[in-house]
Amino acid sequence: MSKPELGVCYYPEHWPESGWTDDAARMVEMGISWVRIGEFAWSRIEPTPGDLRWDWLDTAIEILGEAGLHVVLGTPTATPPRWMVDRHPDMLAVSKDGQPRKFGSRRHYCFSHLGYKDEAKRITELMAKRYGANPHIAAWQTDNEYGCHDTILSYSDAARAAFRVWLRKKYETIDALNTAWGNVFWSMEYNGFDQVDLPNQTVTEPNPAHVMDFRRFSSDQVVDFNRAQCSILRAYTDAPIIHNYMGRITDFDHFAVGADLDIASWDSYPLGFLEDRSDQGEDFKHDYQRQGDPDFQAFHHDLYRAVGGMRNGVSRWWVMEQQPGPVNWAPYNPAPLPGMVRLWTWEAVAHGAEVVSYFRWRQAPFAQEQMHAGLLRPDGVMAEGGAEAARVSKELLALDDADAGPSSVAIVFDYASAWAWETQPQGQDFDYFHLVYDVYRGLRRLGVSVDIVPPSCDDLSDRALVITPGLFAWTDSLRAAMKRFEGQMLIGPRTGSKTDDFAIPASLPPGIDGFDCKVTAVESLRSSGAIDLIDGGCFQIWREFAETSETVTETGSDGHPALITKGKLTYMAGWPDDRAMTRILDKVCKRAGVETTDCQLGYRRRDFGHYTLHMNYGAKAVTHTGILLSPADIALFDNKAQSWIIKPSP
Ligand code: GLA
Ligand code: GLA
């Protein structure tokens, strides 16, 4: 394996050329080996149509490369210049209420617009031609953060035209579409594909099958857009191709986009995410305001490890952007506790990150992100985050083999299920990500290291326990893998409750051969309406009524089955709160022979290679199995040498 390395995002076009050499030297001095550039620089590369200005970029690449840095070059397609909108006025994505989005920030394009797609291909090819063989360019990034700022779904004319083509390809005849969608309902039958519109601005809710196909189509448009860039790049370069995904974005199938890439990466903003996209309550946000949710980053590290391509049997993924200090975009933007930038970096390494790259080098004194910290302050003086990054770069040298080998526990994560339950939540609090993440958090609280697997997974043989929360429709591969699988499976709630066509399966869910269990009815619950479980904790948000002749291993206080077990299969007929989740997971882990430990407060651990990383996300010191950790501190144990590489707090 290669040793984990550090990187940084840099915008030479934001700074006078006279400072680039010094910047590069300081990066190297800090122990940084990768630098990402270019991803927003279109207006400087091509200020007016066809007028290409490569000189400055040539120079920047030369300076960075000569300093010893590997350059990641981004295609600039997330920020088409203003003249592009003059050329293609209808290229803007259109919001659900029919309003075109405007120029003046970024990501102002519709994935279906053919004119813009051609422009994106054109600039990609120009860059690939010029830099594909440049020895300093060691990787490419396509676009930037697909899906950021709610930009996957577009209700434009271009999207409508492309959707019709997509539907025709999928269904071939309009009768097939009418049958699949159940359009006899409310006289929604179509006479031809050209009558099918996008599912927005309907009087009341549109047909869920219509919405689901629109979601699949919209995801496919991203795959297409990205693939076009990848095939161009591959014609000119052998360097790996990467995209930087985000936290809690489920609007497109990352596994499908990932199939065209070599490395998955994501942008990790622990404090921004806690404020901006966490389901946790006020107390939790208060307790972790300077550390971030102890499990949110870990979940995404594991998810993107699954999305990444393989090299020598090891999945390739990076953190492309790591928060270095306060950000500008969350409702509140506190500063991290001293030590957290180091801890976040180490946590990523412990999940197998090849590179952790900070966003950004120097804080910009102008425009939208002037309040966003960098490793350096706007005046060029090293900020706290920079000092911590420099410290980690030295510590990393002590690692030999840091591979995140397969974990015995796997959770199936399925983007289509996220679309399905957004389309038909059947209770406003039902959210697929939230459900899967609750399971993940439960496992982390038990000290269990987890792998995420896609629904197309056809081999579970490495696993002792596999969990499928909320999987809307079974896939053939998963069904087949399950039959051969000898470990434990925890299934539900809502798993197998729809067909691919978004209908209730004839034999009722969960629909597992040889497992006599039928979900006959379901209910969603307000927060005050949770159903207590006899063994402790409750079902919240969602609960199911099941008919079964199998063994009922847990019951609700109202007498209805909560857990139903036969041999290796356990069905969970509701959404457990944290207390019930911990108990249920502990029980299935024990049955599967997976060791658990009770993680107190902010203590977390992660096993990787022959190491164990111990972390304290808490704002108070914590002791676990005799290991004392100060707030934001870490300790690293080498299980092979039986010695500490980084000692716990004294
Ligand atoms: C995202 C983007 C970056 C920058 C940061 C700010 O992750 O990719 O360009 O806007 O957020 O946190
Ligand atoms: C949004 C995203 C963040 C970041 C900011 C940048 O809020 O959620 O990741 O990209 O935009 O402005």
Side-chain angles (χ1 to χ4, degrees):
M1 54 99 18
S2 49
K3 272 193 199 290
E5 296 179 307
L6 301 183
V8 72
C9 303
Y10 185 52
Y11 300 90
E13 70 276 24
H14 295 179
W15 310 101
E17 193 178 317
S18 55
W20 297 352
T21 305
D22 187 49
D23 280 341
R26 289 179 77 190
M27 289 173 196
V28 172
E29 196 187 317
M30 274 179 65
I32 284 172
S33 16
W34 291 81
V35 59
R36 185 197 64 181
I37 61 168
E39 84 279 12
F40 300 130
W42 199 335
S43 73
R44 287 298 170 98
I45 295 172
E46 193 179 17
T48 55
D51 173 16
L52 293 157
R53 309 280 177 94
W54 300 113
D55 295 13
W56 71 270
L57 190 52
D58 292 351
T59 308
I61 292 170
E62 187 62 20
I63 288 176
L64 296 165
E66 283 305 309
L69 295 158
H70 308 299
V71 179
V72 182
L73 186 58
T75 63
T77 50
T79 49
R82 180 62 180 85
W83 54 256
M84 187 71 73
V85 185
D86 294 335
R87 246 190 187 181
H88 306 281
D90 57 349
M91 65 171 274
L92 301 165
V94 173
S95 68
K96 198 168 186 175
D97 57 6
Q99 291 300 317
R101 304 185 79 171
K102 289 187 183 175
F103 180 84
S105 65
R106 60 177 173 183
R107 299 214 58 75
H108 42 282
Y109 69 84
C110 170
F111 282 94
S112 298
H113 192 271
L114 296 175
Y116 184 62
K117 262 192 190 172
D118 284 343
E119 300 274 10
K121 286 197 251 182
R122 182 180 61 83
I123 193 71
T124 300
E125 178 142 32
L126 288 167
M127 283 182 94
K129 260 189 191 151
R130 188 158 189 99
Y131 300 114
N134 185 308
H136 300 310
I137 306 296
W140 289 78
Q141 176 184 297
T142 54
D143 202 276
N144 189 78
E145 291 193 334
Y146 293 135
C148 190
H149 318 301
D150 209 357
T151 47
I152 300 301
L153 303 183
S154 168
Y155 300 85
S156 67
D157 290 350
R160 186 179 53 219
F163 185 46
R164 289 173 179 167
V165 172
W166 187 94
L167 289 172
R168 197 185 287 274
K169 198 164 156 215
K170 174 168 179 180
Y171 293 105
E172 289 173 11
T173 68
I174 197 67
D175 289 347
L177 179 148
N178 283 327
T179 307
W181 289 8
N183 280 339
V184 58
F185 196 78
W186 288 351
S187 268
M188 291 182 297
E189 282 158 314
Y190 297 102
N191 310 107
F193 287 100
D194 287 344
Q195 294 172 332
V196 184
D197 210 327
L198 298 176
N200 63 326
Q201 298 186 302
T202 49
V203 173
T204 180
E205 59 176 315
N207 186 339
H210 184 179
V211 180
M212 189 68 187
D213 269 343
F214 176 62
R215 301 300 301 262
R216 290 178 172 124
F217 154 80
S218 301
S219 175
D220 283 356
Q221 296 303 93
V222 182
V223 175
D224 252 35
F225 187 88
N226 183 67
R227 181 173 297 156
Q229 296 198 11
C230 291
S231 14
I232 293 167
L233 289 170
R234 294 213 191 274
Y236 296 94
T237 179
D238 297 324
I241 309 176
I242 315 181
H243 178 73
N244 58 332
Y245 301 105
M246 301 182 67
R248 200 171 183 164
I249 293 272
T250 52
D251 289 342
F252 64 94
D253 185 341
H254 294 48
F255 296 114
V257 169
D260 290 310
L261 300 166
D262 302 294
I263 302 175
S265 76
W266 81 290
D267 298 344
S268 179
Y269 291 92
L271 304 192
F273 291 150
L274 178 72
E275 290 294 346
D276 197 39
R277 46 191 85 165
S278 164
D279 299 307
Q280 301 294 326
E282 271 307 309
D283 289 351
F284 184 94
K285 289 190 180 177
H286 171 83
D287 291 348
Y288 291 102
Q289 58 181 328
R290 298 184 185 283
Q291 306 96 291
D293 181 327
D295 306 312
F296 195 86
Q297 290 68 243
F299 175 83
H300 288 86
H301 297 336
D302 291 338
L303 174 62
Y304 292 126
R305 191 171 63 250
V307 169
M310 303 288 273
R311 181 174 63 180
N312 305 329
V314 176
S315 183
R316 307 192 66 183
W317 75 276
W318 296 15
V319 172
M320 188 63 88
E321 300 180 11
Q322 170 65 62
Q323 177 167 358
V327 299
N328 61 302
W329 45 263
Y332 304 96
N333 297 295
L337 218 59
M340 281 318 291
V341 172
R342 170 180 177 241
L343 185 153
W344 295 330
T345 310
W346 266 105
E347 168 106 67
V349 167
H351 291 256
E354 275 179 32
V355 174
V356 180
S357 166
Y358 301 91
F359 182 92
R360 53 185 275 156
W361 174 243
R362 189 190 292 102
Q363 181 172 347
F366 47 77
Q368 278 93 330
E369 290 176 355
Q370 53 185 274
M371 303 304 288
H372 190 299
L375 294 180
L376 308 188
R377 305 187 319 208
D379 64 358
V381 173
M382 174 106 62
E384 174 67 28
E388 291 189 25
R391 177 176 178 192
V392 177
S393 78
K394 294 205 184 70
E395 291 177 334
L396 286 177
L397 300 174
L399 285 182
D400 50 32
D401 174 3
D403 291 352
S407 303
S408 53
V409 178
I411 301 177
V412 176
F413 189 82
D414 174 37
Y415 289 92
S417 296
W419 311 332
W421 304 142
E422 230 173 275
T423 302
Q424 193 179 70
Q426 180 67 12
Q428 65 173 13
D429 297 334
F430 196 99
D431 176 87
Y432 176 72
F433 180 94
H434 186 173
L435 173 65
V436 177
Y437 183 54
D438 272 3
V439 173
Y440 184 87
R441 292 194 305 118
L443 290 165
R444 282 267 288 187
R445 286 195 301 272
L446 290 167
V448 175
S449 299
V450 177
D451 280 347
I452 307 273
V453 296
S456 60
C457 174
D458 57 5
D459 183 13
L460 301 171
S461 52
D462 280 347
R463 317 294 175 180
L465 169 63
V466 174
I467 309 177
T468 64
L471 182 74
F472 99 106
W474 288 109
T475 60
D476 293 343
S477 48
L478 210 50
R479 273 192 190 280
M482 250 170 91
K483 283 217 175 90
R484 296 189 300 268
F485 182 54
E486 285 168 3
Q488 294 289 318
M489 287 206 68
L490 179 62
I491 294 159
R494 262 186 131 164
T495 297
S497 63
K498 300 288 175 192
T499 65
D500 277 333
D501 289 333
F502 218 111
I504 298 170
S507 60
L508 301 188
I512 304 166
D513 282 351
F515 184 57
D516 178 34
C517 168
K518 274 187 202 313
V519 173
T520 54
V522 299
E523 61 177 358
S524 54
L525 307 165
R526 24 175 89 247
S527 54
S528 55
I531 312 288
D532 288 340
L533 299 181
I534 291 203
D535 295 339
C538 61
F539 277 164
Q540 51 171 9
I541 301 175
W542 186 264
R543 186 279 275 276
E544 302 175 345
F545 301 93
E547 269 176 21
T548 184
S549 63
E550 313 295 1
T551 312
V552 175
T553 44
E554 277 206 28
T555 318
S557 57
D558 57 2
H560 289 286
L563 284 188
I564 299 159
T565 304
K566 180 187 189 188
K568 64 182 183 187
L569 300 176
T570 297
Y571 189 79
M572 184 160 74
W575 181 328
D577 69 343
D578 282 358
R579 184 166 163 218
M581 186 71 91
T582 307
R583 195 192 60 249
I584 293 167
L585 290 172
D586 196 35
K587 192 146 85 176
V588 290
C589 281
K590 293 227 159 75
R591 208 179 299 141
V594 174
E595 211 181 300
T596 60
T597 173
D598 182 12
C599 293
Q600 302 294 322
L601 305 165
Y603 170 79
R604 291 292 185 274
R605 54 177 285 152
R606 161 90 192 161
D607 299 312
F608 66 111
H610 55 87
Y611 303 102
T612 303
L613 179 68
H614 303 268
M615 298 158 274
N616 183 10
Y617 276 89
K620 295 199 179 96
V622 67
T623 304
H624 187 270
T625 52
I627 302 164
L628 170 72
L629 288 174
S630 307
D633 205 5
I634 59 161
L636 181 68
F637 191 70
D638 184 335
N639 296 298
K640 204 157 73 183
Q642 285 294 304
S643 60
W644 290 103
I645 293 187
I646 297 174
K647 289 204 175 73
S649 316

